[in-house]
Amino acid sequence: MKRYLIFLFCSFLSIESFGQQKAVIHPGRDGIYIFCGNELPGTFQYRISRREGAGDWKEIAVLRFPKNKTEWEGRLTEAALKDFRKQQPDSIEISFGWNKLRQNSILDSLYYLSANPNFQIAAGTGFWDRDTKRGVKYQYKIERAGTAPNIKGTDSFLSDSYFWPGNPSSITAVLDTLITGTSNVEVTWLLSGERGMNSCRVFRSRYLKNEPFTEIHPSIYFTTKEKRNYVNILDNSVQDGAQYSYYIIPYDYFGNESKSSDTVNVYNRTMNTMKALVKDFNGKSIEKENKIRLSWKINKDEPLSSIGIYKAIGFDSSYFLLANVSPSDTAYDDFLVEPVTTYYYTLVLNTPYGKAFPSVRLPVVFKANKTTSFPPENLTAVRKGNVVKLQWEKNLPENRAYYIYRSANYTGQMAPIGQVVSGDTQISYTDTVGHLPASPVLTYAVAAENTSYIISPLSTRVMVAGNTGPLPVLTIQQPRIHENSVELFWSADNDDVPGRGFLIERKEADEHYIPIKESKSRFFKTENVVINSFTDTTTERGKYYSYRVSFLSTNDADTGAVSLPVGVFIPLDVPSSPNNVTAIIQNTQVLLQWNLPLGDSWDEIRIYRASAGGTPALIKTLKADDVSYADNTVKKGENYFYWIATVKKGVEGRIAEPLGIRVE
């Protein structure tokens, strides 16, 4: 019989403990099958002995694990040839089985294939005893032994007496659905009873033609839905307009057949060639009676057995059967409705030959007859640690419940996170937020629901600080001194981390830049997390300082790890900085010009440049008397910032603010 598609609806053998799982005996259609246990015989052997009645024991098989993949594949092929089903495994199953078993010590590692006797035989845990007589009782003994022939194990299993053929399977098959087409018929049966069905035999005849049933070989596949098992047959050897009868006989892995199913009569007519049967399909909301009334008319050119009414809460959602009514009915009242909800309905006409295609999908809104609800008032939110407490006031007596919404940004879409049913005047809700991903802010709003189940718009939004996640560790670059100030720059990978800014700590230090213990720390805060620089204008000449910087999260209580300290000395003599600095664009270059301060001297002039958001870098060192510089390394469409500094004995006198220009 052709295999079409097999899901994980396979035989589940009831195996007891022997070592890890005991052996079990299965009488079959042409012999007796022995399952030795779940443990693979890699370091031992299974020795099987048999006796007829009270006769002497005779060893009939010694089972071991295959030595390599070639032996594994050969065993599978040989087992399939001797099996009544004649189903050869495909290459995927062969490779999958070998790769799993050689890495494990139990048969269960094969998952669904572990229930297949052919795979058990190939793994050395199963054996078909076909050298027996029909109806004669046999008893079996299984022993575990070492790999050497003369080493006997102490573990053994002694079975009851068995004979073949086995008892009929208790699997039952009941018709579920059938679908017809121009060249095929698909019939689905619901399965019940013991688990262990392997496949089924399918029989067909021409309905009312006095023909005998003959076995056919259609495509067969299994499905599982809502923990219920089904078998489907697809017969592609039919004619449009012909009538057929079908029944099936399920059987298990050992060939034991169950009772045949009831006979199914099929009229193979293509349903979409029928005339339109449903017309004037309408729905009406009747609020006072809390119902939706459906009405329709039927074209009775086709014979009907019933009308199925199906319902869903979305156009493309799953439809469920609401009711089956008589072909003469033209209306139905649906009381399973909620206010302000849209329902979708469709009709399916059941004919003696099967189901017609569904009608159009009819949307019906069940309206509410209560007053409109207003959102809650005076909503507040307070965060303490990882807990946010919300409080609000009840503003309408008919409000019965509240829905809490949350967003991880200021203006984004709100998502529901909880519900509170309360009639109190003051209502509160606690939200634990420690598990949430990092975000700059958490935004909350609340909607009210009244006794008519009308939900209000969202309340005014309130906000608390979000979660920061792991905070970045900063690295301070060498500070730059100009005149009486110290300019700090630092780098950190904090693009995706929400924060408020940076915290800078300064302490006076000795000549080795080691902070003086008695010195008090002075702290500075920046309120912009994008700008990674700070200028300290409160220093004194002739002093040593030590600086550290850390990241500030959106919650003031959270700071990142402090950076390594960086020392700086403010000399007594700092050169004056250039003045009247200008920048103009000439062709593809930027021309910088400046005036030199009077009454001072210096050793050289340095030009620094930074791109937008970048760190200033030295691009040119000039002679002490130069008053201009042309930068021809710029790119069109970029923003640049320039600093010009005089240098005397390694100390810079730099302009306080950078000069910005955009190259067009």
Side-chain angles (χ1 to χ4, degrees):
M1 189 171 295
K2 182 180 179 182
R3 291 186 300 174
Y4 184 74
L5 177 63
I6 299 181
F7 287 80
L8 302 186
F9 178 76
C10 297
S11 174
F12 292 84
L13 302 177
S14 175
I15 305 171
E16 302 172 0
S17 172
F18 172 69
Q20 288 191 17
Q21 285 184 339
K22 250 188 181 180
V24 64
I25 311 300
H26 293 280
R29 62 184 288 176
D30 58 356
I32 297 175
Y33 181 75
I34 301 100
F35 177 71
C36 296
N38 192 38
E39 189 173 359
L40 299 175
T43 59
F44 63 92
Q45 298 171 341
Y46 287 117
R47 296 180 178 270
I48 304 174
S49 301
R50 180 193 68 206
R51 71 177 177 182
E52 179 180 335
D56 296 331
W57 289 100
K58 176 183 178 183
E59 186 172 271
I60 59 173
V62 177
L63 307 183
R64 60 173 178 80
F65 190 73
K67 297 178 181 178
N68 48 49
K69 185 178 180 182
T70 301
E71 184 177 355
W72 162 260
E73 187 172 351
R75 289 186 183 183
L76 281 174
T77 302
E78 182 181 5
L81 290 174
K82 294 180 179 180
D83 188 27
F84 67 94
R85 295 166 295 160
K86 308 298 182 186
Q87 291 181 357
Q88 288 289 344
D90 57 38
S91 58
I92 296 178
E93 292 175 335
I94 293 173
S95 297
F96 170 81
W98 176 249
N99 291 334
K100 283 292 182 182
L101 289 183
R102 67 192 181 97
Q103 299 175 9
N104 294 275
S105 61
I106 59 173
L107 187 68
D108 284 349
S109 58
L110 288 182
Y111 303 116
Y112 70 96
L113 292 177
S114 64
N116 189 319
N118 291 347
F119 281 81
Q120 295 173 0
I121 293 171
T125 62
F127 177 74
W128 264 111
D129 185 10
R130 293 188 173 93
D131 188 19
T132 53
K133 302 173 185 177
R134 183 185 183 96
V136 177
K137 289 187 176 182
Y138 295 92
Q139 191 177 14
Y140 294 90
K141 179 170 60 176
I142 304 172
E143 296 177 302
R144 288 170 51 125
T147 54
N150 60 344
I151 300 177
K152 292 288 184 178
T154 57
D155 290 344
S156 65
F157 168 83
L158 187 65
S159 76
D160 294 331
S161 296
Y162 293 90
F163 64 89
W164 63 272
N167 296 324
S169 171
S170 63
I171 300 170
T172 60
V174 179
L175 176 66
D176 182 68
T177 58
L178 61 88
I179 302 174
T180 61
T182 56
S183 60
N184 57 65
V185 170
E186 183 173 3
V187 187
T188 301
W189 281 273
L190 171 65
L191 302 174
S192 60
E194 70 178 25
R195 303 174 75 183
M197 177 176 174
N198 173 247
S199 190
C200 62
R201 302 175 65 191
V202 184
F203 296 84
R204 184 188 71 188
S205 74
R206 295 289 294 269
Y207 181 58
L208 299 179
K209 294 290 186 179
N210 293 324
E211 294 180 355
F213 280 89
T214 57
E215 186 171 1
I216 61 173
H217 302 281
S219 297
I220 299 174
Y221 60 99
F222 295 90
T223 56
T224 300
K225 181 179 180 182
E226 297 178 353
K227 298 183 179 180
R228 306 179 78 181
N229 301 311
Y230 301 83
V231 61
N232 308 264
I233 68 113
L234 181 64
D235 185 5
N236 293 314
S237 60
V238 296
Q239 297 177 347
D240 190 23
Q243 300 182 46
Y244 297 92
S245 297
Y246 294 88
Y247 72 87
I248 63 172
I249 301 178
Y251 59 82
D252 61 20
Y253 269 119
F254 313 103
N256 300 312
E257 296 181 349
S258 67
K259 290 177 54 179
S260 64
S261 68
D262 292 336
T263 300
V264 178
N265 298 319
V266 179
Y267 177 48
N268 188 38
R269 175 166 181 182
T270 308
M271 288 300 174
N272 58 5
T273 63
M274 292 184 178
K275 298 178 181 178
L277 300 179
V278 180
K279 56 185 179 179
D280 297 335
F281 187 25
N282 296 300
K284 182 180 180 181
S285 172
I286 305 177
E287 295 83 29
K288 291 183 179 180
E289 300 181 33
N290 199 55
K291 69 181 182 181
I292 289 177
R293 170 160 290 181
L294 303 174
S295 62
W296 61 85
K297 293 181 181 178
I298 299 296
N299 181 347
K300 295 187 177 179
D301 290 345
E302 299 285 348
L304 301 179
S305 57
S306 64
I307 301 173
I309 304 172
Y310 290 80
K311 178 181 178 181
I313 58 174
F315 184 83
D316 290 321
S317 300
S318 178
Y319 285 73
F320 65 90
L321 179 63
L322 182 63
N324 267 318
V325 298
S326 168
S328 60
D329 289 336
T330 58
Y332 179 80
D333 291 336
D334 181 13
F335 292 93
L336 301 175
V337 292
E338 296 289 341
V340 198
T341 305
T342 301
Y343 298 97
Y344 294 83
Y345 298 89
T346 185
L347 301 183
V348 175
L349 305 183
N350 300 311
T351 74
Y353 318 113
K355 299 178 183 293
F357 283 115
S359 69
V360 296
R361 302 176 187 181
L362 175 69
V364 184
V365 180
F366 183 69
K367 304 174 183 178
N369 57 1
K370 303 292 184 180
T371 59
T372 303
S373 181
F374 293 94
E377 297 177 345
N378 300 326
L379 175 63
T380 61
V382 177
R383 176 168 182 169
K384 291 185 178 180
N386 290 328
V387 176
V388 177
K389 185 176 182 180
L390 304 175
Q391 286 186 307
W392 62 92
E393 295 179 0
K394 179 178 182 179
N395 58 331
L396 291 175
E398 60 267 21
N399 285 350
R400 58 171 293 275
Y402 302 89
Y403 296 91
I404 295 86
Y405 292 78
R406 183 181 65 209
S407 175
N409 50 53
Y410 294 94
T411 59
Q413 184 177 357
M414 307 292 286
I417 61 170
Q419 180 186 21
V420 176
V421 179
S422 174
D424 297 338
T425 303
Q426 292 284 341
I427 305 99
S428 63
Y429 178 83
T430 300
D431 184 24
T432 302
V433 298
H435 65 285
L436 298 178
S439 64
V441 69
L442 293 175
T443 305
Y444 292 89
V446 178
E449 181 181 75
N450 64 18
T451 54
S452 293
Y453 297 94
I454 297 177
I455 300 176
S456 74
L458 293 181
S459 67
T460 303
R461 297 189 180 198
V462 294
M463 304 173 191
V464 297
N467 292 343
T468 57
L471 299 179
V473 178
L474 311 177
T475 302
I476 304 180
Q477 299 178 3
Q478 183 60 39
R480 295 192 178 95
I481 305 168
H482 54 89
E483 298 182 355
N484 292 340
S485 61
V486 175
E487 192 170 20
L488 300 173
F489 295 90
W490 54 85
S491 60
D493 186 13
N494 63 302
D495 293 342
D496 299 327
V497 182
R500 291 189 54 208
F502 301 93
L503 181 67
I504 299 96
E505 178 189 9
R506 187 192 75 189
K507 291 195 72 172
E508 291 188 19
D510 60 21
E511 64 272 16
H512 301 293
Y513 302 110
I514 299 174
I516 300 173
K517 292 183 179 180
E518 295 76 14
S519 173
K520 292 184 178 180
S521 295
R522 183 168 181 178
F523 294 93
F524 308 90
K525 281 186 180 180
T526 68
E527 298 295 334
N528 192 331
V529 75
V530 177
I531 299 176
N532 58 340
S533 64
F534 171 73
T535 301
D536 182 6
T537 60
T538 64
T539 58
E540 299 180 25
R541 294 190 180 188
K543 286 192 174 183
Y544 293 85
Y545 295 99
S546 175
Y547 289 90
R548 299 193 303 177
V549 64
S550 56
F551 187 84
L552 278 178
S553 71
T554 53
N555 186 348
D556 281 340
D558 296 333
T559 59
V562 295
S563 67
L564 293 174
V566 172
V568 64
F569 172 66
I570 311 298
L572 294 173
D573 187 13
V574 177
S576 302
S577 61
N579 52 54
N580 297 329
V581 181
T582 61
I584 59 175
I585 299 175
Q586 288 186 344
N587 297 326
T588 58
Q589 63 183 7
V590 174
L591 177 62
L592 302 173
Q593 294 177 313
W594 56 87
N595 293 333
L596 297 175
L598 300 175
D600 203 349
S601 63
W602 47 87
D603 302 326
E604 60 187 23
I605 295 175
R606 295 175 183 173
I607 312 296
Y608 292 88
R609 187 187 71 189
S611 300
T615 302
L618 178 66
I619 62 171
K620 189 66 176 179
T621 301
L622 305 175
K623 295 184 296 183
D625 57 351
D626 285 340
V627 292
S628 66
Y629 171 70
D631 183 8
N632 57 9
T633 63
V634 295
K635 297 180 181 179
K636 287 187 177 182
E638 295 287 340
N639 293 317
Y640 295 97
F641 299 88
Y642 292 91
W643 290 261
I644 297 94
T646 57
V647 184
K648 184 176 182 179
K649 296 181 180 180
V651 178
E652 293 182 351
R654 188 193 301 183
I655 59 174
E657 297 294 333
L659 184 67
I661 190 169
R662 180 175 176 83
V663 180
E664 298 292 351

Short mmCIF file of all heavy atoms in Angstrom, two decimals, residues 43-47 59 62 143-154:
data_model
loop_
_atom_site.label_atom_id
_atom_site.label_comp_id
_atom_site.label_asym_id
_atom_site.label_seq_id
_atom_site.Cartn_x
_atom_site.Cartn_y
_atom_site.Cartn_z
N THR A 43 27.05 -3.45 24.40
CA THR A 43 28.08 -4.11 25.22
C THR A 43 27.61 -5.47 25.73
O THR A 43 28.27 -6.06 26.58
CB THR A 43 28.44 -3.21 26.42
OG1 THR A 43 27.26 -2.97 27.19
CG2 THR A 43 29.02 -1.88 25.94
N PHE A 44 26.49 -5.92 25.25
CA PHE A 44 25.97 -7.23 25.64
C PHE A 44 25.15 -7.78 24.47
O PHE A 44 25.09 -7.17 23.40
CB PHE A 44 25.11 -7.12 26.91
CG PHE A 44 23.89 -6.26 26.73
CD1 PHE A 44 22.67 -6.82 26.35
CD2 PHE A 44 23.95 -4.88 26.93
CE1 PHE A 44 21.55 -6.05 26.18
CE2 PHE A 44 22.83 -4.10 26.77
CZ PHE A 44 21.63 -4.68 26.38
N GLN A 45 24.53 -8.96 24.67
CA GLN A 45 23.69 -9.59 23.65
C GLN A 45 22.37 -9.99 24.27
O GLN A 45 22.28 -10.25 25.47
CB GLN A 45 24.38 -10.85 23.08
CG GLN A 45 25.71 -10.58 22.39
CD GLN A 45 26.43 -11.88 22.06
OE1 GLN A 45 26.12 -12.93 22.63
NE2 GLN A 45 27.38 -11.81 21.14
N TYR A 46 21.34 -10.00 23.44
CA TYR A 46 20.07 -10.61 23.83
C TYR A 46 20.04 -12.03 23.26
O TYR A 46 20.15 -12.22 22.04
CB TYR A 46 18.88 -9.82 23.27
CG TYR A 46 18.63 -8.49 23.94
CD1 TYR A 46 18.73 -7.30 23.21
CD2 TYR A 46 18.26 -8.40 25.27
CE1 TYR A 46 18.49 -6.07 23.80
CE2 TYR A 46 18.02 -7.18 25.88
CZ TYR A 46 18.13 -6.02 25.14
OH TYR A 46 17.88 -4.81 25.73
N ARG A 47 19.87 -13.03 24.14
CA ARG A 47 19.77 -14.42 23.70
C ARG A 47 18.32 -14.88 23.93
O ARG A 47 17.82 -14.83 25.05
CB ARG A 47 20.75 -15.32 24.47
CG ARG A 47 22.21 -14.98 24.20
CD ARG A 47 23.15 -15.89 24.99
NE ARG A 47 24.52 -15.60 24.70
CZ ARG A 47 25.24 -16.18 23.73
NH1 ARG A 47 24.66 -17.11 22.97
NH2 ARG A 47 26.50 -15.84 23.52
N GLU A 59 17.60 -22.41 21.85
CA GLU A 59 18.00 -21.04 21.51
C GLU A 59 17.70 -20.78 20.04
O GLU A 59 18.13 -21.53 19.16
CB GLU A 59 19.48 -20.82 21.80
CG GLU A 59 19.93 -19.38 21.60
CD GLU A 59 21.34 -19.12 22.07
OE1 GLU A 59 21.52 -18.79 23.26
OE2 GLU A 59 22.28 -19.28 21.25
N VAL A 62 20.31 -14.79 18.62
CA VAL A 62 21.23 -13.97 19.41
C VAL A 62 21.27 -12.59 18.75
O VAL A 62 21.65 -12.48 17.58
CB VAL A 62 22.64 -14.58 19.47
CG1 VAL A 62 23.58 -13.66 20.25
CG2 VAL A 62 22.60 -15.97 20.10
N GLU A 143 17.60 -13.67 27.73
CA GLU A 143 18.70 -13.46 28.65
C GLU A 143 19.65 -12.40 28.10
O GLU A 143 19.85 -12.29 26.89
CB GLU A 143 19.47 -14.77 28.87
CG GLU A 143 18.66 -15.86 29.53
CD GLU A 143 19.45 -17.14 29.65
OE1 GLU A 143 19.91 -17.65 28.60
OE2 GLU A 143 19.64 -17.62 30.77
N ARG A 144 20.21 -11.62 29.03
CA ARG A 144 21.28 -10.68 28.68
C ARG A 144 22.62 -11.36 28.92
O ARG A 144 22.85 -11.92 29.98
CB ARG A 144 21.20 -9.42 29.52
CG ARG A 144 20.04 -8.51 29.16
CD ARG A 144 19.89 -7.41 30.18
NE ARG A 144 21.15 -6.71 30.40
CZ ARG A 144 21.31 -5.41 30.28
NH1 ARG A 144 20.28 -4.66 29.94
NH2 ARG A 144 22.46 -4.83 30.52
N ALA A 145 23.50 -11.31 27.93
CA ALA A 145 24.79 -11.97 28.06
C ALA A 145 25.89 -11.05 27.56
O ALA A 145 25.63 -10.13 26.77
CB ALA A 145 24.80 -13.28 27.26
N GLY A 146 27.16 -11.33 28.03
CA GLY A 146 28.29 -10.55 27.57
C GLY A 146 28.60 -10.86 26.13
O GLY A 146 28.01 -11.74 25.49
N THR A 147 29.57 -10.11 25.58
CA THR A 147 29.90 -10.30 24.17
C THR A 147 30.59 -11.63 23.90
O THR A 147 30.52 -12.15 22.80
CB THR A 147 30.80 -9.15 23.70
OG1 THR A 147 31.93 -9.07 24.57
CG2 THR A 147 30.06 -7.82 23.74
N ALA A 148 31.26 -12.22 24.91
CA ALA A 148 31.87 -13.54 24.73
C ALA A 148 30.79 -14.60 24.81
O ALA A 148 29.89 -14.53 25.64
CB ALA A 148 32.93 -13.78 25.81
N PRO A 149 30.81 -15.63 23.92
CA PRO A 149 29.72 -16.62 23.89
C PRO A 149 29.55 -17.38 25.20
O PRO A 149 28.45 -17.81 25.52
CB PRO A 149 30.15 -17.56 22.76
CG PRO A 149 31.12 -16.77 21.94
CD PRO A 149 31.82 -15.85 22.89
N ASN A 150 30.63 -17.55 25.99
CA ASN A 150 30.50 -18.37 27.20
C ASN A 150 30.14 -17.56 28.44
O ASN A 150 30.13 -18.09 29.54
CB ASN A 150 31.81 -19.13 27.45
CG ASN A 150 32.98 -18.15 27.63
OD1 ASN A 150 32.86 -16.99 27.27
ND2 ASN A 150 34.10 -18.65 28.14
N ILE A 151 29.86 -16.26 28.27
CA ILE A 151 29.50 -15.44 29.44
C ILE A 151 27.99 -15.28 29.47
O ILE A 151 27.39 -14.69 28.58
CB ILE A 151 30.17 -14.05 29.37
CG1 ILE A 151 31.69 -14.20 29.33
CG2 ILE A 151 29.75 -13.19 30.54
CD1 ILE A 151 32.43 -12.89 29.20
N LYS A 152 27.37 -15.82 30.48
CA LYS A 152 25.92 -15.74 30.63
C LYS A 152 25.58 -14.62 31.62
O LYS A 152 26.24 -14.46 32.63
CB LYS A 152 25.33 -17.06 31.13
CG LYS A 152 25.44 -18.20 30.13
CD LYS A 152 24.47 -18.01 28.97
CE LYS A 152 24.51 -19.18 28.01
NZ LYS A 152 23.55 -19.03 26.92
N GLY A 153 24.51 -13.89 31.34
CA GLY A 153 24.09 -12.83 32.25
C GLY A 153 23.12 -13.36 33.28
O GLY A 153 22.58 -14.46 33.18
N THR A 154 22.90 -12.55 34.28
CA THR A 154 21.97 -12.93 35.34
C THR A 154 20.57 -12.40 35.09
O THR A 154 19.60 -12.92 35.64
CB THR A 154 22.47 -12.40 36.69
OG1 THR A 154 22.63 -10.98 36.60
CG2 THR A 154 23.82 -13.02 37.05
#
